[in-house]
Each structure stands twice: as C-alpha cells, then as structure tokens.
Amino acid sequence: MASHSDTLVVFFGATAGANGGKLGSDEREIILLVWQIVDLREKKVGKLHRCLVKPDTLELADQCKEETGLSLDDVVNAEPLDKVLLQFQQSVTSELKCLDRSSYTLCVNSPLVIRQVLHPEASKKNLVLPECFFSFVDLRKEFEKCCPNTGPANKLEIASMLEHVGLAAVSEQLMGVREVRSMVQLILRILAEPYNHNFSLVETVKYKFDSGTCSKTEPVDNETIIRARGLPWQSSDQDIARFFKGLNIAKGGVALCLNAQGRRNGEALVRFVNSEHRDLALERHKHHMGSRYIEVYKATGEEFLKIAGGTSNEVTQFLSKENQVIIRMRGLPFTATPQEVLDFLGPESPVTDGAEGLLFVKYPDGRPTGDAFVLFSCDEYAQNAMKKHRQILGKRYIELFRSTAAEVQQVLTRYLSTPLISTLPASPIVPVPVLATPPFLPTASSSRDCVRLRGLPYTAGIEDILEFMGEHTADIKPHGVHMVLNQQGRPSGDAFIQMKSPDKAFMVSQKCHKKTMKDRYVEVFQCSTEEMSIVLMGGTLNRSGLSPPPCKLPCLSPPTAYAFPTPPTILSEAALYQPPLLAAPRPHQATHSPALAYYPPQPHLYMNMNYTAYYPSPPVSPSTVSYFAAPPSVAAAVAAQPHHAAAAAAAAAAASSPVLPQPGALVRMQGLPYNTGVKDILSFFQGYQLQPDAVLILYNFSGQCSGEALVTFPSEEAACRAVAERSSHVFYGQQIHLAFCN
C-alpha cells in the first residue's frame, strides 16, 4: 500500500505456541486475529473484530492457554485461516466504503505477526494472501520517529509508549482486544497536538525472489548473511526463498553451495536486505522444509562472495536477462550441439533466445564437461523442461535441476580454474615440498609392499589419509601416497600407499581395515606395486584379476630408466600370513612381463585414463609399532612347512624378532566370534595388564575376521599363565583355544 493512505487497520495475531517477542519462532499456527480501522483524516475508529482461527494441528501449548485464555474447545469449531482472511478482507472493504476511503495500510506493533507467522504459514498452506499483507507500518518505529528520545524501536513496549505520552494502560482481559485498543489510543494520541505525527515508514514484503548476479568486488555486509544447512539436494533458490517467506532476500542473494565434485552439499548462503531481516531469519533455526528441519547460522560476506561472486564476462552476459528461470543439465554427451539440446527440450519448453539461452560448461582447454545451463522466460516452460529429467539424449540419460545464478558462477569458476592435470592441495602437516617435475609411476614389482584404500570419502585429502594411518605413517615410503582420480579428474574413492616392506603393508591391512574416516568405513587390502602401477596407468583391479589400461592413444617407448622390469621370483610369504589369509599364488612368468603402454606426462595423454596426484610422505622417524613382523631371513625356512607348523614358526620368529619394541611373548587365539573386537579380547584377559596395541585381530581377504588373533604379553611367564588359565574357556558362546607361540 502507498504511504499516503489515510486509513490504518490496526492488526494483531496470536499463535498456538509462543507469543510476544518469540512469536513465530516455533512454527505454530495462528489461532487468533484481531483488527480495528482508524481513519487518520477524521481521527475516528471503526468496529473492533476478534476472530478465532482453527489450526490444522489441534493442539495448544500451555503458554498459549495461559496468555490467551483459550482452550482447544474454543478453536476446534472456528473457521480455517483462509476463510478468516476472506472475512477480514470483506469487513475492511465494507467499512472503507462507508467511510468513503479507497486504500488502507496495516499497522502492527511488531513485524513478527506479518513476516514470521502469516507469510510462512500461508506459504506452507499454499494460500494467496491479499495485497494488503505485503505492506505495513510498525507502530514502534513510527513512535521512535515521533518521539526520538524514547530509545530504540525494538526495545519499546506498548505500556512504555502509553506511559511516555501520558496515557493509562487499557483495562481489558481478553488478549488481542487489549493490544489493539492500546494501539488505537496511542495512534490517536500522536496524531493530535503537539505531536501531529504523519505515518510514512511503510515496510514491504517482496512478492517473489529476484535472481541476479553478484560481483566479487561488491561490498557485502557481514550482518546480512546466513548459512542454511540440511537442505534437500534438489532444492532451488525459489525453494529457499519460500522457506524464508516474509523476509526480504537481496537480489541474487541465494547461493547454493557445491562440494568438491560440483554437486550440491545441502547448504546455501543467503543474503538479506538488512540485518533486521537476517536476525529474523536466525529465528527460523530448525524450522521445516517439507519433512526436513533446516539449520540456520550466521555467516560472513566473504563466505557469500566466495560462493556467489564471479568475474566471468561469459556468465555476466548469459545472466544479463533478468527474471529468467535457470535449469542445469548434467550428463550431456560431450558431442552434444546446441540444436540437439533444443530438440531434446522440445517446443513445449522454448529456451530464451534459442541457442543464446544455452551455456555449455567447458574445461580451460575447451573440452566439454557434460554440464549446461538453460534459460527459460517463465516457470511454466521450466516445469515442462523438468519433465525431461532422466530421459535419453544420444546414449546417455540427462539429469535436470533447478539452478541459480550463484550456481552458474560457481560451476563456471570451478571448471575454468581446474588444471589440465588434476592435483589435490598439499597437506599443511607435510613440510617436504611437492615434486616440481611430473613424477613417474613406481617400478612394477610383485612384492606386496603396498596397500589399497577403497571407499574413501570423496572429500578426503592427504591429511585425512595420514590421520587415518595413524602410527603407520612413519612406515610410508617417500612420495608413496597416490590418490586415484577418475576420468573426469575427480576423486574415485581409492588410494594406493607404498610401505617400506611387505611386513609393514600387512600390518596396515590388518590394523586399519574397516576403520572409519568421516563416518565411512574404509577397506584396506595388501597388494603389489605391479597391481598398483597397472591401476594408476588406467587399468582395473577386481576379483577377476588385472585388466591392462586401454591403449587408445599413441604409445611411446618408455625411457630405459622408467621401463618396467621383469618381475622377480616370488618369495613365499607363508611366514607373514596365517593359513586363512593365504591368497592363491600368482603363477611365475619366467620369460618376460606383459608389455605395458607407457604414457608420457603430457596433459592431453591423460584424458581417457585414470591418473594420480602424488604427495611426499611425512618425515620418517624410528618405528614405534608394537606388533611383530617376520624377518625375511625366516621366510624361506618356514615356507615349506605345513600350515600349523608354518604358523607357529612364523609367530615364534616374530616374537623373537628384534623389531618388537619390548620383550614379550605371543599367544595365538583361535575360535573367536567373527564380530570380536579389541575391547572384547582385553576384557577376556582382564588382570593381565594388556594394552590395546598388544592385540592384533587377523582378517581374511574378504575383509571378515578370520576367527584368530595374536596377543603380545609383557613376559613369557604371563603368557604361559594365560594359556594355562584361559585355554578352552567359553568366549561369547564359543570355546577359545590358546597356544603359546614363544
């Protein structure tokens, strides 16, 4: 409504939950509306109206019952909100006609009833509010303007304002009626001498969210930004604006956050027009979007610009058309042309300006990424386009999502800043600099001195892997961590780590298997450098064996220094593995190893294969691993023995090996339940003063517990006593066998 309106409608509302300063903070529905007309020109008042509203959820909080004096029986027979609003509009229109007035403006004592209650509830119930609810005057701000020495508006109460102008408090018991009559008296008082106040501070509620762009050089007030977390992954900027309905979001003020793979991570940064609206947005912490609650926190302007800001002229030109609906297409064939995309969308969803309304996302060298953004002039066309979600173009199904200008900026910035050979940032805890020249793959060997990590979080970095490895990081070879990336240059969830010896690799595979990293368990398998090299060169490693890398590109003969040598004779590893852990031996190739294609480090040769990012290992220090490792000199002597004899010999050799940090004796446990943990074994040997690192549970190659464990006791006497006392005891329903291996 215009600020020159000569009629005010004093308006009050209460909810089934918290009221007063916390009105709307608990998402409770409106149960009471009270209003009365004030003619500013004639200084007359109309009839006071009080209407109860029936909520969808028939439940009243105790605080509400106490403050309003209402019970559930009072509201159960009332009209729903849409009918009460219609009644409000009809009564106000009728009274205005009698007063010969044509326009009016709502007057409230706080914006909460309009911004935090009425608009959010109407949005959830898909109600169309009358135009009068998109503008109002706040009596507190008008009073502050009229009487500047009364203090800030957000601290004013009706009672204090009445007292300031010399009016007594209204003696009325009914909530709502009391507030409206007090406000009417206050309005009439400041309209008269000596105040002669003119109501002009009209606030507005935006009808819709305006999309737009944001420059990285644009100043952004830190007090206007919030971070919303827990959003559904398919939510758009319009959905977020609807969640904050009633609050004014700045133009282009919704920035959906993307993860390292360019996918939405369920967070968004929202910029409001001022700090007052930001503070009201924070009150919607844990309010619901559908069935999900959304967390709302403070954020900074720097964070917003990092996500939403852009400097690309191409993006600016693409987004120069205002009030356009943006759709993101993902999974396009790399050979797709603009005309093919237009034909795919069809005539029922015409793209704005045809091919000019398409923006294909490309790498810095011009290669397509499979992503594109499309502009539509109205929501109807965009909805028609969304019906093509997961339909086929060429031989690929296409995903379509509602998008935002900020997402366009993010995606373009991310891909345009992507190096041709992807690398991950170096760990801050690694003081050794990354190699300046392109590194080469490790020399292939059948020695099983490597481990493969499978199931890593896609956001995992080198520091996460080092933390995951724990004490075993001291046993990593220099430059021995290899992160495997897929053909799009994104993390594949795999990594290979070169250890100093097969013993160390075995220890890591046993100790770290199925440990968690960022809420995901990671599988750890022992492997050889030959297997690692083939995977890093683009081949695959699975249960059916090794598949060599594709040879689609011209192959060059490798330099002599980098050639893959013939695998040496395979050394028996019986001394290192218990019988359940032995894998099928690899047949020895006496002649020569299969020819492997050599790929030089030029960027374009990595387009169709996997590649890795290399990191230096941390500075090494003397190992403190308190587990056995069979010395190589024992391996040959044990290899030919039967399984039980070999296992005993291996354990005995390990126990007497100088690599143990302290003297001790090994005891082998057999018959353990498959879900046994270290704590269970420590509890079984309670009283023997064992530390957690004295227990080593053995796993088979499928990642399951083998039913066996090795326990290091502080002395031979303690080990003998444990075998004598605990052998054949029942452990979680199973009989345990103990054998002294020293």
Side-chain angles (χ1 to χ4, degrees), residues 269-325:
L269 293 168
V270 185
R271 178 187 181 189
F272 293 92
V273 293
N274 55 43
S275 59
E276 179 186 356
H277 289 241
R278 193 283 303 268
D279 293 340
L280 293 178
L282 292 172
E283 292 295 325
R284 300 196 187 183
H285 179 60
K286 292 198 173 181
H287 282 203
H288 289 78
M289 180 185 289
S291 60
R292 304 186 61 164
Y293 72 82
I294 309 301
E295 300 174 13
V296 182
Y297 304 99
K298 291 182 180 181
T300 66
E302 181 181 358
E303 291 176 294
F304 180 80
L305 286 176
K306 184 178 179 180
I307 300 298
T311 57
S312 170
N313 293 331
E314 185 180 16
V315 174
T316 303
Q317 183 179 357
F318 176 73
L319 298 174
S320 60
K321 304 177 183 65
E322 296 187 357
N323 300 321
Q324 297 290 309
V325 183

Side-chain angles (χ1 to χ4, degrees), residues 187-249:
I187 291 171
L188 294 176
R189 183 70 180 93
I190 62 178
L191 286 174
E193 296 286 349
Y195 301 103
N196 296 320
H197 182 67
N198 178 34
F199 286 82
S200 59
L201 303 178
V202 179
E203 299 185 37
T204 60
V205 178
K206 283 190 175 184
Y207 288 91
K208 64 177 183 177
F209 169 70
D210 297 322
S211 60
T213 60
C214 179
S215 171
K216 284 189 178 294
T217 60
E218 183 178 338
V220 177
D221 186 359
N222 288 334
E223 301 301 316
T224 62
I225 310 298
I226 64 95
R227 179 184 294 273
R229 181 177 297 162
L231 299 166
W233 63 268
Q234 73 273 28
S235 58
S236 66
D237 54 353
Q238 298 294 338
D239 297 321
I240 296 171
R242 184 171 180 172
F243 175 80
F244 289 110
K245 187 69 175 176
L247 307 179
N248 294 343
I249 299 175

Side-chain angles (χ1 to χ4, degrees), residues 574-589:
L576 299 180
Y577 300 96
Q578 299 297 325
L581 302 179
L582 289 174
R586 180 177 303 169
H588 173 57
Q589 300 174 355

Side-chain angles (χ1 to χ4, degrees), residues 671-689:
L672 294 170
Y674 292 122
N675 58 350
T676 301
V678 173
K679 290 184 179 179
D680 300 320
I681 296 177
L682 292 177
S683 177
F684 181 78
F685 287 112
Q686 187 175 7
Y688 287 87
Q689 299 181 346

Side-chain angles (χ1 to χ4, degrees), residues 393-475:
L393 174 59
K395 295 183 179 180
R396 305 189 65 175
Y397 73 85
I398 310 301
E399 297 175 297
L400 286 89
F401 310 94
R402 284 184 171 271
S403 187
T404 68
E407 186 173 18
V408 177
Q409 296 276 23
Q410 282 187 85
V411 174
L412 265 292
T413 301
R414 185 184 301 274
Y415 279 112
L416 289 176
S417 61
T418 301
L420 295 179
I421 299 248
S422 297
T423 57
L424 297 177
S427 167
I429 65 172
V430 180
V432 183
V434 179
L435 292 177
T437 58
F440 50 88
L441 295 177
T443 302
S445 169
S446 60
S447 177
R448 300 176 64 81
D449 58 353
C450 299
V451 291
R452 180 186 185 185
L453 274 58
R454 187 170 68 186
L456 294 169
Y458 293 129
T459 57
I462 182 66
E463 62 273 11
D464 299 310
I465 292 179
L466 295 179
E467 181 180 356
F468 174 82
M469 296 280 289
E471 59 186 352
H472 302 288
T473 54
D475 301 322

